[in-house]
Amino acid sequence: MKSEELSFEQAMEQLEKITARLEEGDVPLEEALEEYKRGMELSALCHTKLKKAESDLAKIVTKEGEEPFQLDGEEQ
């Protein structure tokens, strides 16, 4: 399955498995590099999905329509 087709939860699950495997330290170097590369791709995918969710949630509905939501002191 391509990274783009994964849900956030699926990507996180794969990333956790990769992390656990690499932390064990019993992975040959070449395989560890491939796992690390895949982990970085999954991390980027998760980050992108979280930023989109944050953007979607940052809008609140008011009587006048949608208005961007901002935390105090935060610039858009």
Side-chain angles (χ1 to χ4, degrees):
M1 181 178 281
K2 292 182 181 179
S3 291
E4 300 83 35
E5 297 172 357
L6 293 174
S7 69
F8 175 81
E9 291 78 11
Q10 290 170 324
M12 279 300 296
E13 184 179 328
Q14 287 187 21
L15 185 55
E16 288 170 356
K17 287 179 182 177
I18 289 171
T19 302
R21 187 155 185 250
L22 291 175
E23 285 178 346
E24 289 175 3
D26 295 333
V27 182
L29 180 61
E30 292 81 14
E31 195 174 328
L33 289 172
E34 287 300 316
E35 290 285 322
Y36 182 80
K37 180 180 173 184
R38 176 71 177 145
M40 293 303 294
E41 291 170 357
L42 290 167
S43 177
L45 174 67
C46 289
H47 178 75
T48 300
K49 288 185 179 279
L50 283 174
K51 291 302 278 182
K52 177 166 180 357
E54 179 183 26
S55 174
D56 292 346
L57 291 173
K59 294 181 181 176
I60 58 173
V61 178
T62 65
K63 291 180 184 175
E64 293 82 33
E66 288 189 3
E67 203 174 272
F69 176 77
Q70 235 177 311
L71 297 174
D72 291 336
E74 181 181 342
E75 291 186 29
Q76 286 194 339

